[in-house]
């Protein structure tokens, strides 16, 4: 298990547009494995490569059903809207109310480069949209319509 340093709000790397992955090698597999360890250790539901300082289009998500890795993810379908609070491991101590689609479909590649498509609703849809935003240098704070601290009653 290897943990990587999570970059925090204000660091330039979080604002960069990530590059597509073209080489599916051991180095990529190591990055994915470290990202999953880092996400779990920090109790997160998702993590994008720029959050560990790597500007590549790699995200991992785990909403409690096991980790999934998505390489070069693209949202191909959006349906509905849900406004809820979310947070980010790169923005500790703050939650924000953000509008996200209720359902999405995402086309991506697995760690070997094979195409895959996944569907997500509710929390999974929110996590997928949040992580894909990271690859464009977009943070939830850019989209939030209201902010609260972690001890707020509103989060219950
Ligand atoms: Ni985030």
């Amino acid at each position: 298990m290897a943990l990587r340093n999570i970059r925090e709000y204000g660091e330039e790397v979080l604002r960069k547009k990530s590059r597509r992955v073209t080489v599916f090698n051991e180095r990529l597999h190591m990055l994915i494995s470290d990202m999953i360890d880092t996400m779990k250790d920090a109790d997160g539901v998702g993590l994008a490569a720029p959050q560990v300082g790597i500007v590549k289009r790699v995200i991992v998500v785990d909403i409690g059903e096991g980790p999934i890795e998505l390489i070069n993810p693209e949202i191909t379908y959006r349906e509905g809207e849900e406004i809820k609070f979310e947070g980010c491991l790169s923005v500790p101590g703050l939650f924000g109310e953000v509008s996200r689609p209720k359902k999405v479909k995402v086309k991506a590649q697995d760690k070997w480069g094979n195409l895959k498509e996944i569907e997500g609703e509710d929390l999974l849809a929110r996590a997928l949209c949040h992580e894909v935003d990271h690859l464009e240098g977009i943070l939830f704070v850019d989209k939030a319509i209201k902010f609260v601290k972690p001890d707020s009653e509103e989060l219950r």
Side-chain angles (χ1 to χ4, degrees), residues 46-48 51 86-91 130-131 134 138-140:
L47 193 70
Q51 292 183 274
E86 62 185 66
C88 178
L89 295 176
S90 293
V91 191
H130 177 116
E131 301 313 330
H134 272 297
I138 298 167
L139 301 174
F140 84 94

Side-chain angles (χ1 to χ4, degrees), residues 79-82 100-104 120-123 125-126:
E79 184 186 309
E81 184 194 19
E82 207 164 57
R100 301 284 189 188
K102 185 165 171 54
K103 185 176 172 182
V104 294
E121 283 188 57
D122 304 311
L123 177 59
R126 177 166 300 273

